[in-house]
Amino acid sequence: MVRPQMLKLPEVLTEIGMSRAAFYRMRARGQAPRLRKLPNGQLRVRRADLDDWWERCEARAI
């Protein structure tokens, strides 16, 4: 069984070219990829969730 790749929030922000504040505004509107909170409090985004989010963004832009 392969574990899903988990990205740190700064990695996600760099990839999508967005500030932390803008990301959290999108998250408050329900428009950001799903964040997962680890037991130690760190935040992660699954690669698959980020890729799905990108596809939804592209579909809305068309």
Side-chain angles (χ1 to χ4, degrees):
M1 183 170 147
V2 177
R3 293 181 51 166
Q5 182 182 4
M6 302 293 277
L7 303 170
K8 295 178 182 179
L9 185 56
E11 295 171 329
V12 172
L13 297 175
T14 298
E15 184 171 330
I16 65 177
M18 186 177 290
S19 71
R20 184 179 293 263
F23 181 86
Y24 277 105
R25 283 192 300 271
M26 285 184 66
R27 185 172 181 238
R29 294 189 304 258
Q31 299 173 337
R34 181 177 177 199
L35 286 177
R36 297 171 190 268
K37 193 171 195 176
L38 300 179
N40 63 5
Q42 294 180 359
L43 299 173
R44 296 287 189 272
V45 176
R46 284 181 53 226
R47 166 53 67 188
D49 290 343
L50 183 60
D51 291 343
D52 290 343
W53 176 80
W54 270 122
E55 288 179 21
R56 288 192 310 274
C57 289
E58 289 175 353
R60 283 191 295 249
I62 295 176

